[in-house]
Structures are given as structure tokens and as C-alpha cells.
Amino acid sequence: MKPLLLWSDALVFLLVIALVLFFYQLRRDPLTRERWAQVFSSRLGMVTFTVILTYVGIALLDSLHFRKALDAPVAAADQQSVTAEVFYDNQVTSVLDIMLGGMGERFERTYSAPFALQSFEKQNMKNAQGRAIRDFPPLEHAGQHLTDPQDKWPDVLAKTLVSLLWGLLICAVWIAPQWLWLRRSPHPWYASWCAQAVVICLGVWMVSISRYYHILGTDQGGTDVLYQSLKGVRTGVLLGTLATLIMLPIAVTLGVMAGYFKGWVDDLVQYLYTTLSSIPGILLIAASVLLFQVYIDLNPDFFSIGMEKADARFLALCFILGVTSWSSLCRLIRAETLKISQLGYVQAAHAFGVSHARILGRHILPNVVHIILITFVLDFSALVLAEAVLSYIGVGIDPSMGSWGNMINGARSELSRQPPVWWTLSGAFFFMFALVLAANLFSDLVRDAFDPRSVSRRSQA
Amino acid sequence: MFAYIVRRLLYAIPILIGVNLLTFMLFFVVNSPDDMAVSQLGEKYVTPQAIAAWKEKNGYDKPLFINGAAEGAGAITETIFFTKSLKLFAFDFGRSESGRDITTDVSTRMWPSLAVALPTFIVGIWVNICVALLVVMFHATRLDRWAVFLFVSLMSISYLFYIIGGQFLVAKTWKLVPISGFQAEGQAWKFLILPVLVGVVAGIGSGARWYRTLFLEEANQDYVRTARAKGASEISILFRHILPNALIPILTGVVVLIPSLFMGSLLIESFFGIPGLGSYMLDAIKSQDFAIVRSMVFIGSILYILGLILTDISYTWADPRVRLS
């Protein structure tokens, strides 16, 4: 086993550390604490935050990559090779794959419906008498333990009950310490616990049932749809955060400078963002991705395995999305800075001869943080949705890297089959919808709490 | 007013030059003509002769910015930047990599795009405003809260699912209209109705939610309280006071989009097989035809800037307080 650190993995963990530090810093500010308390004082805030954290957790688990050691070839063992060289699998595995108990390694030949025991398409095969017939072949990894296909649903039910019991047991162990610690807290933690319990039970159920059945069926290539959907989580979450993270420094620096220094700096920044936003976004992104793709294709030596190539393309996509989308945030920050720099305390700082850098750092930046925060959560869901569209256009994630966009793209004509193949689309739909909905609802709460305009509106009411 | 418009149009020129330079950098400096030749010819046939021939055939065999070999004005005009990028300003789009005339393509494909985008736009705004007004009437009730939740849920569904779902339900299961295709005359409405419907439904979530916020912002104003105190009915407050005043922020968001309607929708057109500019762009992206992408970027920027100017003009019409100077 050899750990493998992809560039995106490294960035993700850096990001997590940075976010934790950032929020730790923010905690010291009483006003910020009060606003966060407002977000978490609603049950909705608790539940959506739990859902988002679950997705982030899956993404982080899926970011711990390694390459499995291959079994030494028999021929080499015969020769008693002195150098015990170990060869590593070109396929990259992650901790999530292991936790799922090999869900991704149970391939079928082609389509099969959820919980099906037989393949979806008829095939030529031989019956017991050795005569050629055309029938639905049995699946290789579903219902192998059943002697009679009639027992399928009672068996599923029994296994569900057992896994539910296990799930509840784990829930009890997981939630009890939280209860001891937080029972006197004024926030509605019980809503979060309910959500956690549902997530844990669902997770346990999925892992245990998927050993015997394909819960969401298999796709055209015979891969488990549930597994693909889970692999899409990392792509979606990472894209949403990394692209925003790349956008932030550009937008904040330019916006604050334009609003503070005014004059030609302001003109230049305004010119830059008007130019950039007048180009149709999707064309700019498509053109940039295509150009990068040409670059990768012409320089294949940079990447030792396919996964690294896909990862490079993914990072390029994040980078491109970030660089092309800073204009709206920049405009907001510029306007806010213009407003703040007219205020008394900034004028006073000027009068005392405080340096520009210090005024920017101490007086202006802390007062635009709420805009950054609101944009961060708002953009997240938009980016997750954009990924699907980009993959459809053919400029999205590399097909070898699982993503919801690629799943939809591959399955878009499946509904017009007879009978329709609905499960691949449903899998992608459900996982994407849950994440985007949670992010949207959460961002609404954050905006309500942090946006001064909505604060004043509330105090009026 | 006239002077203002002229000044805005002049201001558009540096922006368009900026767009042009940016696309030029993207297409020719980052990705040299040699790279393009390699990717267009395919790995197999790459010989120096083949690359040179391809570049000559497509007009890429010139220096990028300054041609030292040519005389006089030729030093500027005999370059890739002049022939490929600056000519866009004269609406001379040249030929695509596959040899078709882009200007003709654009002018014929504009109309199907408009045939889908314009009804979607108008019906969409109408539906969104109606839904939002309805929700505002029930403001601060349980219905309002659930409506907002519904809007957010609708927003959280990817556009692709609206299209796929609409085709599956309306066209395949209920067999009301053809799944895809387009016809210029006669029964064109048959082909248009589903794309328009999908476009409208997909927009309800974000649209109605946005209009609701705008209406509520107006509903908190003092003049509304005064009107209510004087005994105006809720309906007349909504239509006589709130709606006209909310028109200004609505215009900002809406008018800027009008010129871009010509560009059509990438996804709708490709799923429904409508031969408009959206599917044109998509095909160009998929076949890596940079000549078309370049031209469409330029057209798109012009339309966007036009939209910004239109927005300003519409302000004077909607709000007598605004004077352009």
C-alpha cells in the first residue's frame, strides 16, 4: 500500500485547516458569534448544516488516496528476484472505497435494475440441457446467497431490520457523548441529532445491503450506481469550494483596492471586470478548458498515472471557474469599500496618519467579511449545478473521475429506452439535489443573519 | 439622452478591444497555431509539411502581432491578430475551420434561437411575477414559508433534469408533442411548446423567489404603510403601489438579458434539436472549432454591452427621477 497525495487532496486538507483557523479567529468577535448563534438557533440551520457536513466528510474520506500493492507475479517469485520490488496498482483507491466494503468492485456485465437478480438485457446462453436460449442472465454479485428468487423481498426486509438495529446502536454510541456535552445548550441540537441518526442508519443500511444487492442497480458498464453517486460527492464538494477559494483573493484584493484608492485604480478594475463579465461565461470557460485539454494532450509525460491527469484537469477547471467568476463579488466589495471609506472611523484613521495597509487590514477588510461569507455559501450550490452542465457540454470533469455531471451525461438517453432505465439518473439526481438544497437553505440562513440589509429589515418588523 | 448613448457606445470600444485581446491571447498565444494544427490534424498525420500546409490553408502562417517581412501597412495588417481578431469589428467573421461562412450561419441560425428564447423570456417573467405576487399576498403565513421552501427546492434541481424530465413526461409518456426537432413554417409551435414550457418551469424557482424579495422590500416602505392607513385595499396596494415601484429593480435584472436572447440557450437547443445559435456554439465547442467560438464570444459581448445601455435607457422610462447626463 502506498499513499498518494493528489494535488487536489493537498489543497483540500489545506483548505480545511484554513477554514478551521478562520472560524476560530471569528469566534473571538462577539458580533460574529451572535450571528452564527442566530443561524444555528433554527432547526433548519442545524439539519442543513449536518447534511453539508456529511457531504464534506464523505469528500474528505474520499480524498485520502493510496495505491494498492499488486500481488507479485508468480513468474518473478520463481526467479527468486533479489530486489523485492513491489508494483502498485494503477487504480487509485481511497479510504471511502474501503469503508464501503468493496462496493465499487462488484461489476456486472451491463444494466441491472435496483435490487434485481437478473440482468436487464437478454443474452444468448445455454440452459441446463446445453441448448442455446435467449434469456436474462443472473447477476454475478446480487442475491448469491438466495436459494429461491422468491425469497428476495423477505430477505431484503430482514437484512434491513438487522442493519437498522446496528445503525441505532451506532447512533446511540455516537450521539450520547454529544448529548452529555450539549444538553444544556440553547440551540436545537436535537434536530441535528435526528439528522445524524438518519444519516448513520442510512449509511449502515447502504453498506450492509450493498454486499448482497445493487441498491440503485448498475449502469451500462455494469458499475454500481450507488457507488458512482458516492464518488461524485468529492468532485461536487471540492469543485464548489476550491473554485470559490481561487476566486476570493482576486475579487477581494481588486475590489478593496478599487474602492479604497479610487482614481485610476478604480477605473482599471472596473474596466477589467466589465470586460470579463461581458464575455458569455460558458464560452469563456469552454474555451479555456479546451485549451488546457490541448496542453495536457501535448504533454503526456507530466503525469505518471491516469488519475493524476484527471486530477490536473479537475484543478484546471476549478482554476478557470474561479478566474472567470470573480467579477460579481469584486463589484459588491468595491461598492461596500467605497461606502466604508467615507465613514468617520476611516477618516479619523487617515487623520491620525495610519498607513494605507493598516487601514485596509484593520478597518476595511473586517467589514467586508460578511459579503465574502455570503458569496462563499451562495456560490457553492451554483458551482455544483454548473459542474453538471459543463460535463454535458464536454468541458467538465474527466470521464475517468466520477462526477454527477458525467453520470447524467452518460445516462441522458436512457429514459427513452423501452422500458426506461431510470436509476442512473435518479442516483445522480438524489445526491445532487440533497447537497444543493441543503446548501441553498443554509445560505439563505447565513445571508439573513449576516446581511446588514436584512438585519435592519427584521428590526423594523 | 442622445449624447449619453453616443458616449456609452464609445465607452464600449475599449471593452470590446479588451475582449478581443483576451480571446486572442487565449486562442493564439497560450495555444499556438502549431498546437492547433496538431490537434486538428490528429496525432497520426503530424509532419512539419502537414502543419505548414494546414496553417497556410487556414491563414495561420503569419506572425502574431508584427510582420517584419511585409512592407508599410502590411507590417500590421499581415498578422494573425489583424486578420483573425480585428476583422471581427467589421463583422467579418471569416470561415469556420470546416470552411463554412460564419456570418451566413449566424444570420440564419439566429431566428430559431429567438423563436424559443423570446417566448420563454416573456412567459417566464409573466409567470414569475404572478406567482410572486400571489405569494406576497400570503406574506408571513405558513403558505408563504412553504412556497419559499418550494422555490428553493425548484432552484436546487439541475437544469438538465428539467429538460430530461420534461421530454420524458410530456413527449414520451403523454405523447403530446414531438420529443425534438424544428420546423420553420406551419407547425412550428408544436416543436416550440415543450422547450418553452421547460424553460419557464425551470426558471420559476429562482425567478419567483427573487421577485418575492423585491416585492417584500417595497412592502416594507413607508408609503405602503400610509396607503394601508388610509384604507386602501390589499389588492390595490399590491397592484397600484408595490408593483410599479418594484419595476425598477426588476428592469435592472431583466433588460440586460434581452439582446442576449439572440444567442439562445445552449442546453435547450441541443436537447431539443433546434438549429439555433446555442446548438451552433455547442457543436463548435465539441468539434473544437475555435473560429466559431471566437466569433460567438465577440457577438455575445456586443449583445451584453447593448443590454447594459438598454437598461440605463429603460430606467428613464420607468423612473421619472432618473436623468441620464
CSV table of all heavy atoms in Angstrom, one decimal, chain B residues 57 152 221:
chain,number,residue,atom,x,y,z
B,57,LYS,N,-3.4,27.0,-45.3
B,57,LYS,CA,-4.8,26.8,-45.8
B,57,LYS,C,-5.7,27.7,-44.9
B,57,LYS,O,-6.6,28.3,-45.4
B,57,LYS,CB,-5.2,25.4,-45.7
B,57,LYS,CG,-6.6,25.1,-46.3
B,57,LYS,CD,-6.8,23.6,-46.4
B,57,LYS,CE,-8.2,23.3,-46.1
B,57,LYS,NZ,-8.4,22.6,-44.8
B,152,VAL,N,-37.0,27.2,-3.3
B,152,VAL,CA,-35.6,26.8,-3.1
B,152,VAL,C,-35.4,25.4,-3.6
B,152,VAL,O,-34.3,25.1,-4.3
B,152,VAL,CB,-35.2,26.9,-1.7
B,152,VAL,CG1,-33.7,26.5,-1.4
B,152,VAL,CG2,-35.3,28.4,-1.2
B,221,GLN,N,-41.9,49.6,2.8
B,221,GLN,CA,-41.7,51.0,2.7
B,221,GLN,C,-42.8,51.8,3.4
B,221,GLN,O,-43.9,51.3,3.6
B,221,GLN,CB,-41.6,51.4,1.3
B,221,GLN,CG,-40.5,50.8,0.5
B,221,GLN,CD,-39.1,51.3,0.8
B,221,GLN,OE1,-39.0,52.5,1.1
B,221,GLN,NE2,-38.1,50.5,0.7
